[in-house]
Amino acid sequence: MPPVKRKPRTYDPALVRAGLIGQVESVRNAVHRLTPDQMTRPSGLPGWDVHHLVVHIAGQIEALPRLLAEPPPRANVPETDLSAWAVSTAGVAHELDEATRRHAKTFPNAADAVDAAVEELEPVLEQAVRTDVLLPHDFGAMRALDFTVTRLVELVVHGDDLTRATGVRVPPARHALAATVRLLADALAAKAPGSAVEVRIPPFAVVQCVEGPRHTRGTPPNVVETDPLTWIRLATGRTSWEKELDAAHLTASGERADLRGHLPVLG
């Protein structure tokens, strides 16, 4: 039986806007608490110290006002959805690394880069969550709202990177965390389509994925369940399936409930 085609998830513009404001503020507050010593620590990302990471975070914020200011794309309809964005990011990792290294030299004080990006973002917050505005993107035209959801993912994921590297907590804004969990879960379902495995990330998402017999009633025979933060780390390659299974941060029941061959979903 072919996989059931899933209806694309919708995101409430007001909640996305609230999540963006909250997550930007959370990251900005944490950055301003960092000491010079913490800025020189390894970030956990290959070849970057915390200074590079913070400058990269600033770039993820600044990308929104920058794209909004560019001429609209020629396309009249979106060419890239959220799942396509998620599974395509690994392909531009080299370009992002080079850009981050250049910008890190421009901002000796990385907190200044974040402040400058936030200042550019504030006037465009309303436009950033419009569904009728298309932005030019390397992967193809994207709705402004969808691109803003990708900013939530970047800020939540890198906020967690910052916390793990420095010990300075970056508490995730609830709406930003919810959107991040859901986007990454949907990307897994798009990458490994099917209905054989049910993935549960309470309280935010439940998706079915992986080819195989479709479950219709009762308790599914193949179930994966984990918490939001563990899921985000698994889906972005920050941790391993084996490690989280051994730590009991993850449960997997059923002969098909081994997702390590489908992870990570975001590069």
mmCIF file of all heavy atoms in Angstrom, residues 6 18 26 28 48 61 64-65 99 202 223 234 236-237 253 259:
data_model
loop_
_atom_site.group_PDB
_atom_site.id
_atom_site.type_symbol
_atom_site.label_atom_id
_atom_site.label_comp_id
_atom_site.label_asym_id
_atom_site.label_seq_id
_atom_site.Cartn_x
_atom_site.Cartn_y
_atom_site.Cartn_z
ATOM 1 N N ARG A 6 0.485 13.208 3.214
ATOM 2 C CA ARG A 6 0.174 14.030 4.365
ATOM 3 C C ARG A 6 -0.142 15.457 3.934
ATOM 4 O O ARG A 6 0.495 16.011 3.042
ATOM 5 C CB ARG A 6 1.361 14.058 5.341
ATOM 6 C CG ARG A 6 1.757 12.696 5.853
ATOM 7 C CD ARG A 6 3.019 12.756 6.700
ATOM 8 N NE ARG A 6 2.792 13.510 7.923
ATOM 9 C CZ ARG A 6 3.297 14.699 8.161
ATOM 10 N NH1 ARG A 6 4.032 15.304 7.249
ATOM 11 N NH2 ARG A 6 3.073 15.312 9.296
ATOM 12 N N ALA A 18 5.320 35.577 17.739
ATOM 13 C CA ALA A 18 5.609 35.547 19.179
ATOM 14 C C ALA A 18 6.824 34.665 19.463
ATOM 15 O O ALA A 18 7.675 35.002 20.301
ATOM 16 C CB ALA A 18 4.392 35.042 19.949
ATOM 17 N N SER A 26 15.711 35.665 23.969
ATOM 18 C CA SER A 26 16.404 34.676 24.795
ATOM 19 C C SER A 26 17.859 34.525 24.373
ATOM 20 O O SER A 26 18.773 34.507 25.207
ATOM 21 C CB SER A 26 15.671 33.332 24.690
ATOM 22 O OG SER A 26 16.256 32.371 25.539
ATOM 23 N N ARG A 28 19.645 36.709 22.606
ATOM 24 C CA ARG A 28 20.359 37.973 22.805
ATOM 25 C C ARG A 28 20.772 38.145 24.265
ATOM 26 O O ARG A 28 21.911 38.546 24.553
ATOM 27 C CB ARG A 28 19.458 39.130 22.374
ATOM 28 C CG ARG A 28 20.154 40.487 22.356
ATOM 29 C CD ARG A 28 19.156 41.566 21.981
ATOM 30 N NE ARG A 28 19.794 42.819 21.615
ATOM 31 C CZ ARG A 28 19.134 43.913 21.259
ATOM 32 N NH1 ARG A 28 17.802 43.897 21.219
ATOM 33 N NH2 ARG A 28 19.784 45.017 20.932
ATOM 34 N N TRP A 48 34.537 25.762 14.676
ATOM 35 C CA TRP A 48 34.019 27.021 15.201
ATOM 36 C C TRP A 48 34.205 27.105 16.705
ATOM 37 O O TRP A 48 33.944 26.137 17.427
ATOM 38 C CB TRP A 48 32.521 27.167 14.923
ATOM 39 C CG TRP A 48 32.143 27.420 13.511
ATOM 40 C CD1 TRP A 48 32.967 27.480 12.425
ATOM 41 C CD2 TRP A 48 30.804 27.637 13.029
ATOM 42 N NE1 TRP A 48 32.242 27.717 11.290
ATOM 43 C CE2 TRP A 48 30.910 27.821 11.623
ATOM 44 C CE3 TRP A 48 29.559 27.693 13.629
ATOM 45 C CZ2 TRP A 48 29.791 28.056 10.825
ATOM 46 C CZ3 TRP A 48 28.439 27.921 12.838
ATOM 47 C CH2 TRP A 48 28.562 28.106 11.452
ATOM 48 N N ILE A 61 19.453 35.626 12.048
ATOM 49 C CA ILE A 61 18.457 36.678 12.320
ATOM 50 C C ILE A 61 18.438 37.686 11.178
ATOM 51 O O ILE A 61 17.384 38.058 10.660
ATOM 52 C CB ILE A 61 18.774 37.376 13.658
ATOM 53 C CG1 ILE A 61 18.736 36.382 14.818
ATOM 54 C CG2 ILE A 61 17.806 38.540 13.900
ATOM 55 C CD1 ILE A 61 19.267 36.946 16.129
ATOM 56 N N LEU A 64 16.534 37.398 7.556
ATOM 57 C CA LEU A 64 15.125 37.713 7.326
ATOM 58 C C LEU A 64 14.927 39.130 6.803
ATOM 59 O O LEU A 64 14.329 39.310 5.724
ATOM 60 C CB LEU A 64 14.338 37.472 8.618
ATOM 61 C CG LEU A 64 12.823 37.540 8.561
ATOM 62 C CD1 LEU A 64 12.256 36.741 7.408
ATOM 63 C CD2 LEU A 64 12.236 37.070 9.879
ATOM 64 N N PRO A 65 15.407 40.171 7.482
ATOM 65 C CA PRO A 65 15.263 41.505 6.897
ATOM 66 C C PRO A 65 16.010 41.667 5.581
ATOM 67 O O PRO A 65 15.574 42.412 4.691
ATOM 68 C CB PRO A 65 15.814 42.441 7.976
ATOM 69 C CG PRO A 65 16.613 41.584 8.886
ATOM 70 C CD PRO A 65 15.995 40.232 8.836
ATOM 71 N N ALA A 99 30.953 31.977 4.986
ATOM 72 C CA ALA A 99 30.342 33.266 5.311
ATOM 73 C C ALA A 99 30.506 33.593 6.782
ATOM 74 O O ALA A 99 30.792 34.736 7.156
ATOM 75 C CB ALA A 99 28.865 33.249 4.930
ATOM 76 N N PRO A 202 5.975 14.322 22.612
ATOM 77 C CA PRO A 202 4.996 15.101 23.377
ATOM 78 C C PRO A 202 5.645 16.327 24.012
ATOM 79 O O PRO A 202 6.823 16.273 24.383
ATOM 80 C CB PRO A 202 4.516 14.104 24.443
ATOM 81 C CG PRO A 202 5.635 13.108 24.574
ATOM 82 C CD PRO A 202 6.273 13.022 23.220
ATOM 83 N N VAL A 223 6.823 2.060 17.669
ATOM 84 C CA VAL A 223 6.661 3.381 18.271
ATOM 85 C C VAL A 223 8.011 3.904 18.754
ATOM 86 O O VAL A 223 8.776 3.186 19.412
ATOM 87 C CB VAL A 223 5.681 3.351 19.464
ATOM 88 C CG1 VAL A 223 5.595 4.727 20.113
ATOM 89 C CG2 VAL A 223 4.301 2.904 19.009
ATOM 90 N N LEU A 234 18.737 14.811 18.053
ATOM 91 C CA LEU A 234 18.807 13.668 17.138
ATOM 92 C C LEU A 234 18.608 14.114 15.692
ATOM 93 O O LEU A 234 19.346 13.711 14.786
ATOM 94 C CB LEU A 234 17.740 12.639 17.507
ATOM 95 C CG LEU A 234 17.993 11.756 18.712
ATOM 96 C CD1 LEU A 234 16.701 11.042 19.116
ATOM 97 C CD2 LEU A 234 19.086 10.731 18.428
ATOM 98 N N THR A 236 19.132 16.875 14.290
ATOM 99 C CA THR A 236 20.159 17.768 13.753
ATOM 100 C C THR A 236 21.573 17.199 13.891
ATOM 101 O O THR A 236 22.547 17.901 13.636
ATOM 102 C CB THR A 236 20.109 19.137 14.452
ATOM 103 O OG1 THR A 236 20.318 18.957 15.860
ATOM 104 C CG2 THR A 236 18.767 19.817 14.231
ATOM 105 N N GLY A 237 21.675 15.945 14.302
ATOM 106 C CA GLY A 237 22.976 15.294 14.384
ATOM 107 C C GLY A 237 23.825 15.713 15.563
ATOM 108 O O GLY A 237 25.035 15.467 15.573
ATOM 109 N N SER A 253 10.109 0.809 20.307
ATOM 110 C CA SER A 253 9.544 -0.536 20.389
ATOM 111 C C SER A 253 9.081 -0.969 19.010
ATOM 112 O O SER A 253 8.507 -0.192 18.259
ATOM 113 C CB SER A 253 8.373 -0.566 21.376
ATOM 114 O OG SER A 253 7.353 0.327 20.971
ATOM 115 N N LEU A 259 15.407 4.283 13.840
ATOM 116 C CA LEU A 259 15.433 5.385 12.879
ATOM 117 C C LEU A 259 16.835 5.870 12.569
ATOM 118 O O LEU A 259 16.990 6.868 11.865
ATOM 119 C CB LEU A 259 14.583 6.552 13.389
ATOM 120 C CG LEU A 259 13.102 6.269 13.619
ATOM 121 C CD1 LEU A 259 12.413 7.519 14.133
ATOM 122 C CD2 LEU A 259 12.429 5.765 12.355
#
